[in-house]
């Protein structure tokens, strides 16, 4: 069975000291987790901090084996007059091997569209990073029975510019009504949405390619609901916001991933 990916989205939290303390706490429990696959998404200025700390412990060779990191957003051009954006190559230079694309908070507060999210995901791949393309419906969509329509449309933007999974994507299904609300999707709701996403991937890219894409669930994942979510057939990992800020709860979720069946 493939490893479950346990990814933390730190959002606009953590300063340098808190980041170093978190990494130290994770590294101290290396023996328990070096067979796992963990990642965190940090604010851009923390990427070199994470890299420097991790190199100190793991040595250059050991970097990014069981613990990876990346930016929460990147631009799709390599460089240029794009004030306030982050060059993908620069994120990569600081050891990033993953990048988030199209998180719902980017969509909600910063005008991210399906098309721009898809371009960021492709740019991540072009720069040697694995993109996690985020999708998910609003509460009104779910209540109105439009969840699958929303997901189909979000994914279509990706399929339009990427003709197979060689782009190394993961897809994070994060129902907007479950993010930061304490209201998690039930494991059945998560599985149902993931199965739908998998079927869309099969339609667009075929069975073999679709099977390569990891599907993560996000939205109020906590240590006490992680195992059940991660035991669902099409849940290959989780994207965790609030509960990823403390090393102890992040690692409790990682432990749940190791015990998931
Ligand atoms: P949450 O956030 O776990 O705090 O709900 C998830 C996310 O935004 O990725």
């Amino acid at each position: 069975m493939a490893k479950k990916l346990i990814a933390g989205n730190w959002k606009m939290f953590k300063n340098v000291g808190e980041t170093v303390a978190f990494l130290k706490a994770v590294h101290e429990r290396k023996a328990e987790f070096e067979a796992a696959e963990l990642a965190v998404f940090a604010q851009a200025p923390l990427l070199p901090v994470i890299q420097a700390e991790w190199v100190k412990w793991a040595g250059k060779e050991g970097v990014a084996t069981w613990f990876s990191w990346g930016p929460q957003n990147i631009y799709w051009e390599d460089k240029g007059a794009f004030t306030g954006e982050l060059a993908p190559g620069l994120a990569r230079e600081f050891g990033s091997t993953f990048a988030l694309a199209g998180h719902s908070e980017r969509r909600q507060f910063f005008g991210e569209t399906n098309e721009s999210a898809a371009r960021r995901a492709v740019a991540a791949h072009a720069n040697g990073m694995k993109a996690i393309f985020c999708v998910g419906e609003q509460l009104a969509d779910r209540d109105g029975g439009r969840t699958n329509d929303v997901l189909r449309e979000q994914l279509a933007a990706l399929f339009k510019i990427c003709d197979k999974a060689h782009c190394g994507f993961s897809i994070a299904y994060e129902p907007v009504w479950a993010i930061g609300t304490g209201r998690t999707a039930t494991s059945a709701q998560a599985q149902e949405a993931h199965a739908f996403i998998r079927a869309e991937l099969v339609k667009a890219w075929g069975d073999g390619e679709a099977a390569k894409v990891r599907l993560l669930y996000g939205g109020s994942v906590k240590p006490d609901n992680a195992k059940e979510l991660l035991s669902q057939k099409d849940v290959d990992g989780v994207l965790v916001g609030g509960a990823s800020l403390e090393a102890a709860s992040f690692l409790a979720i990682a432990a749940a991933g190791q015990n998931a069946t």
Side-chain angles (χ1 to χ4, degrees), residues 139-155:
L139 186 56
D141 299 321
R142 176 156 286 266
D143 289 346
R146 292 185 299 276
T147 298
N148 289 354
D149 297 335
V150 170
L151 296 177
R152 189 182 296 111
E153 199 178 312
Q154 291 170 331
L155 292 166

Side-chain angles (χ1 to χ4, degrees), residues 9 11 103 105 174 178-181 218-222 239-243:
N9 173 12
K11 311 193 177 186
H103 187 275
E105 284 149 17
E174 300 202 294
I179 295 180
T181 58
S220 297
V221 176
K222 308 281 177 227
L239 182 57
V240 188

Side-chain angles (χ1 to χ4, degrees), residues 183-234:
R183 188 180 157 192
T184 327
T186 63
S187 51
Q189 284 172 325
Q191 168 56 30
E192 193 185 346
H194 283 216
F196 176 78
I197 293 169
R198 186 84 70 197
E200 289 295 298
L201 291 167
V202 169
K203 264 196 258 167
W205 290 339
D207 284 323
E209 292 295 320
K212 291 185 204 160
V213 180
R214 272 199 289 204
L215 304 184
L216 316 185
Y217 169 79
S220 297
V221 176
K222 308 281 177 227
D224 61 2
N225 60 24
K227 186 174 170 203
E228 157 104 19
L229 287 160
L230 283 161
S231 296
Q232 302 305 307
K233 177 171 168 279
D234 287 297

Side-chain angles (χ1 to χ4, degrees), residues 151-169:
L151 296 177
R152 189 182 296 111
E153 199 178 312
Q154 291 170 331
L155 292 166
L158 189 59
F159 300 149
K160 198 164 160 196
I161 59 169
C162 189
D163 63 359
K164 54 179 151 123
H166 68 204
C167 290
F169 294 122

Side-chain angles (χ1 to χ4, degrees), residues 232-248:
Q232 302 305 307
K233 177 171 168 279
D234 287 297
V235 177
D236 306 313
V238 283
L239 182 57
V240 188
S244 74
L245 292 172
E246 296 296 330

Side-chain angles (χ1 to χ4, degrees), residues 3-261:
K3 275 182 202 175
K4 306 280 183 180
L5 173 62
I6 311 298
N9 173 12
W10 288 350
K11 311 193 177 186
M12 207 174 74
F13 292 102
K14 288 208 188 292
N15 57 28
V16 172
E18 289 161 349
T19 300
V20 171
F22 179 99
L23 296 172
K24 190 162 178 286
V26 170
H27 191 258
E28 273 167 8
R29 294 178 61 189
K30 172 181 162 144
E32 286 166 75
F33 295 104
E34 62 188 340
E37 190 171 357
L38 311 181
V40 292
F41 294 95
Q43 298 179 74
L46 294 176
L47 299 174
V49 175
I50 299 174
Q51 183 188 39
E53 286 302 305
W54 210 257
V55 167
K56 213 162 67 187
W57 293 314
K60 241 192 163 357
E61 293 311 308
V63 169
T65 48
W66 58 280
F67 185 84
S68 309
W69 56 90
Q72 298 166 3
N73 185 38
I74 51 163
Y75 199 52
W76 52 82
E77 296 289 348
D78 289 341
K79 58 174 127 170
F82 304 108
T83 302
E85 288 289 332
L86 175 63
L90 185 61
R92 181 71 195 101
E93 223 178 300
F94 290 118
S96 301
T97 50
F98 280 94
L100 284 185
H103 187 275
S104 75
E105 284 149 17
R106 300 294 318 165
R107 294 170 184 266
Q108 189 181 347
F109 302 125
F110 304 102
E112 185 85 272
T113 63
N114 293 335
E115 289 67 32
S116 61
R119 292 181 79 177
R120 294 180 208 277
V122 171
H125 170 71
N127 286 275
M129 295 178 283
K130 289 169 265 185
I132 299 185
F133 183 73
C134 305
V135 297
E137 80 286 3
Q138 310 270 348
L139 186 56
D141 299 321
R142 176 156 286 266
D143 289 346
R146 292 185 299 276
T147 298
N148 289 354
D149 297 335
V150 170
L151 296 177
R152 189 182 296 111
E153 199 178 312
Q154 291 170 331
L155 292 166
L158 189 59
F159 300 149
K160 198 164 160 196
I161 59 169
C162 189
D163 63 359
K164 54 179 151 123
H166 68 204
C167 290
F169 294 122
S170 300
I171 311 274
Y173 168 62
E174 300 202 294
V176 178
W177 48 271
I179 295 180
T181 58
R183 188 180 157 192
T184 327
T186 63
S187 51
Q189 284 172 325
Q191 168 56 30
E192 193 185 346
H194 283 216
F196 176 78
I197 293 169
R198 186 84 70 197
E200 289 295 298
L201 291 167
V202 169
K203 264 196 258 167
W205 290 339
D207 284 323
E209 292 295 320
K212 291 185 204 160
V213 180
R214 272 199 289 204
L215 304 184
L216 316 185
Y217 169 79
S220 297
V221 176
K222 308 281 177 227
D224 61 2
N225 60 24
K227 186 174 170 203
E228 157 104 19
L229 287 160
L230 283 161
S231 296
Q232 302 305 307
K233 177 171 168 279
D234 287 297
V235 177
D236 306 313
V238 283
L239 182 57
V240 188
S244 74
L245 292 172
E246 296 296 330
S249 60
F250 182 62
L251 293 178
I253 292 169
Q258 289 177 315
N259 294 327
T261 48

